[in-house]
Amino acid sequence: MKPLTRFFALASFAVALASCQMFTPPDVQESGFQPSDRPITVDNVVANAKLADMAKAQHPRILATYGGEYSDPKLERMVAKVVGNLTVVSANPTQTYRITILNSPNVNAFALPGGYLYVTRGLLALANDSSELAAVIAHEMGHVTANHGLQRQQLEAEEGLATKVVSDVLGDSPTAKAALIRGKLKLAQFSRNQELQADAIGIKSIGEAGYDPYAAGRFLQSMSAYTDFRSVSGATDASLDFLATHPNTPQRIELAQRLARNFGAPGVGTRDRDAFLAGIDGLLYGDTPEEGYVRGQTFMHPGLGVSFSVPESFVIDNSAAAVTATGPGDIAIRFDGVAIDKSVALADYIRSGWVAGLEDSSVRQETVNGNEAAMAHASAQGWQFDIAVIRAGAQVYRLLTAAPSASTALEPVARSVSGSFRTLSATEKAALKPLHIRVVTVQAGQTMGTLAAQMVGVDRKLDLFRVLNAMSPGATVSAGDKVKIVTDK
């Protein structure tokens, strides 16, 4: 967020782990096909294999970037079955693949050497049957088959394939490690031609495995609808999503459908929808309890026991490193926590040098809903800033608002946001529950509207219902259909 990056002198970690990026897999000396173990390593690949060493180094950072591993044996078995079916028809059927389900709401999938495949729970929530999941995974396996990692590595040799992560910055600091969770890693991106080649390999694979070959084009359409929905609603970091390196053009969808026609007319192959829906029933949706929850215009964190709200026209984006919000007029808000000794006055902390362009005379002591606080103003490079530092219990929180220098909205927005900060009661904390995907059977008389109305904790319920269930605005539901909803039950 430009206003805030100009405001803070924060540590810079590595950049952009885009989706669908991998290295060439060396031979693997392991037997059996199974869901991932924790922790997953690549110690058993060929010794001194440069790309394998890179993969081994990247695995824990991928877990950190994408919130760690999402553990659900039922879900892992479902995904493992899909991978197993694809392995049988792959160009290298002896290659062992392990799947790691990443605990991230972002929609993504990629692979590393040694047959390590990654898929986010966000992608699983968006897919609607096993054939769509197979299409995504087969695409990633296609990059392995075509040696795209090696080709890209040769092109990037001079500048280095993987950017060195400044691990010394992390140390043992929990705060620094949290900041890395949404950090981005630089791996090799594939060219458009390589993407299309992987599409072709993947569609051929799912067709030969008996899956619906039209699933690839269908999921690309779901991705397009998901992107459109998010562009209106606001959402998680787009650079961590599948489309960051997969241009989703109508031409690409048409090509996928054309390749599918090699296997026959629509209706050929199996979708295995019931097994897939059974696997994702109960899947965590959206924010994790550790990161707190966004409910409409309010952020609430049951663990920290605090809450604040933003104006109606603002969109909140939650991550483990910080909570940010954007609104009209290029106004941006950032919320995070810092560790400060209780003996340090908050006004002295504001003056301690971390604020660029601080107007010293503006620093003042205040109280916000019974909590000790300090406020200040700053200005730098065409921007003006409001700083609110609030102590709640043993923790100190920062609410930082930025606006262009000419804006007259900074003060009212900042006062509204900082004034909404409060601690949650025990009852409120107990009432906060994570959201899950639930698969329900449509009853007689129910419509998309009545089903969407059952969803809780999300905005634009009908639009989201359509996106999650790949339904067009004119689509209808029939009694007996199975559909996905989002609920805290």
Side-chain angles (χ1 to χ4, degrees):
M1 195 173 299
K2 291 183 179 178
L4 297 176
T5 54
R6 293 176 182 176
F7 190 23
F8 307 113
L10 300 177
S12 175
F13 298 104
V15 292
L17 169 63
S19 62
C20 196
Q21 302 165 347
M22 68 189 74
F23 310 97
T24 301
D27 293 334
V28 176
Q29 286 80 46
E30 73 181 31
S31 60
F33 177 81
Q34 55 185 324
S36 62
D37 299 322
R38 291 190 305 274
I40 302 171
T41 67
V42 246
D43 290 329
N44 47 6
V45 298
V46 174
N48 301 318
K50 180 180 179 181
L51 296 178
D53 288 343
M54 290 182 179
K56 179 180 178 180
Q58 293 302 334
H59 176 75
R61 292 165 187 155
I62 287 174
L63 291 182
T65 301
Y66 285 88
E69 181 171 356
Y70 183 77
S71 179
D72 180 341
K74 170 174 67 77
L75 187 65
E76 289 179 344
R77 285 193 296 270
M78 183 273 289
V79 176
K81 178 183 175 183
V82 172
V83 176
N85 289 338
L86 292 173
T87 302
V88 172
V89 299
S90 70
N92 182 11
T94 62
Q95 171 70 63
T96 299
Y97 290 95
R98 288 188 174 186
I99 190 77
T100 299
I101 301 173
L102 297 170
N103 190 16
S104 169
N106 293 91
V107 176
N108 211 345
F110 44 91
L112 289 181
Y116 291 89
L117 301 173
Y118 299 84
V119 60
T120 61
R121 60 176 170 83
L123 187 144
L124 294 173
L126 185 63
N128 274 282
D129 56 48
S130 296
S131 65
E132 292 183 3
L133 174 61
V136 173
I137 293 176
H139 174 100
E140 303 306 330
M141 294 169 69
H143 282 300
V144 176
T145 301
N147 287 325
H148 288 161
L150 178 59
Q151 295 171 20
R152 188 59 174 172
Q153 190 271 340
Q154 291 169 341
L155 293 174
E156 302 243 347
E158 292 185 1
E159 60 186 275
L161 182 60
T163 298
K164 182 180 181 295
V165 176
V166 284
S167 56
D168 55 319
V169 176
L170 300 179
D172 294 323
S173 165
T175 301
K177 289 178 180 178
L180 177 62
I181 289 180
R182 285 299 186 273
K184 304 176 183 78
L185 310 174
K186 174 95 158 87
L187 302 182
Q189 298 184 20
F190 296 120
S191 71
R192 176 176 174 80
N193 286 340
Q194 288 174 329
E195 292 296 352
L196 295 177
Q197 185 181 7
D199 279 350
I201 295 172
I203 292 170
K204 182 174 183 291
S205 294
I206 63 174
E208 291 177 348
Y211 287 113
D212 176 9
Y214 291 87
R218 205 164 57 243
F219 191 69
L220 284 171
Q221 290 172 329
S222 288
M223 289 293 296
S224 178
Y226 155 80
T227 303
D228 292 342
F229 175 84
R230 188 179 59 184
S231 68
V232 175
S233 297
T236 49
D237 188 346
S239 67
L240 297 183
D241 280 337
F242 192 78
L243 287 182
T245 55
H246 290 67
N248 195 13
T249 63
Q251 292 79 10
R252 188 176 183 194
I253 295 174
E254 194 281 328
L255 175 61
Q257 292 171 335
R258 181 155 28 103
L259 291 169
R261 282 195 287 272
N262 292 330
F263 290 89
V268 65
T270 179
R271 295 190 178 186
D272 196 24
R273 178 173 165 82
D274 287 347
F276 178 84
L277 292 179
I280 67 168
D281 189 26
L283 177 70
L284 181 66
Y285 181 83
D287 301 326
T288 66
E290 293 76 20
E291 294 180 359
Y293 305 120
V294 176
R295 298 290 186 264
Q297 305 307 116
T298 300
F299 172 77
M300 298 175 284
H301 199 299
L304 300 176
V306 298
S307 170
F308 73 92
S309 300
V310 299
E312 282 296 328
S313 52
F314 281 67
V315 174
I316 301 176
D317 185 14
N318 181 27
S319 77
V323 181
T324 57
T326 53
D330 290 330
I331 299 179
I333 300 162
R334 177 186 171 105
F335 171 81
D336 63 9
V338 291
I340 301 174
D341 191 277
K342 288 185 176 181
S343 64
V344 177
L346 295 182
D348 291 338
Y349 169 67
I350 289 179
R351 292 189 174 103
S352 64
W354 61 277
V355 179
L358 177 67
E359 299 169 9
D360 190 79
S361 61
S362 70
V363 181
R364 61 199 184 278
Q365 293 286 151
E366 290 194 16
T367 300
V368 174
N369 293 322
N371 299 294
E372 176 192 355
M375 311 287 185
H377 287 95
S379 59
Q381 300 181 19
W383 293 91
Q384 53 178 326
F385 308 96
D386 182 275
I387 305 101
V389 181
I390 307 170
R391 180 172 273 135
Q395 182 69 47
V396 172
Y397 301 95
R398 302 186 296 189
L399 275 166
L400 310 152
T401 307
S405 295
S407 174
T408 60
L410 176 67
E411 184 69 18
V413 169
R415 294 290 68 78
S416 170
V417 175
S418 62
S420 71
F421 179 91
R422 65 185 183 87
T423 56
L424 298 171
S425 68
T427 301
E428 288 175 315
K429 288 188 288 186
L432 285 172
K433 298 178 181 179
L435 301 179
H436 296 273
I437 292 288
R438 291 297 181 190
V439 178
V440 299
T441 301
V442 179
Q443 303 300 311
Q446 288 186 314
T447 65
M448 284 201 296
T450 60
L451 289 162
Q454 296 180 24
M455 302 206 296
V456 299
V458 295
D459 296 323
R460 299 175 59 214
K461 295 180 180 181
L462 182 56
D463 290 339
L464 179 58
F465 179 86
R466 287 170 174 157
V467 169
L468 289 177
N469 292 285
M471 293 182 176
S472 65
T476 59
V477 292
S478 302
D481 290 349
K482 292 182 179 180
V483 295
K484 296 177 285 183
I485 65 171
V486 176
T487 178
D488 60 0
K489 297 178 182 179

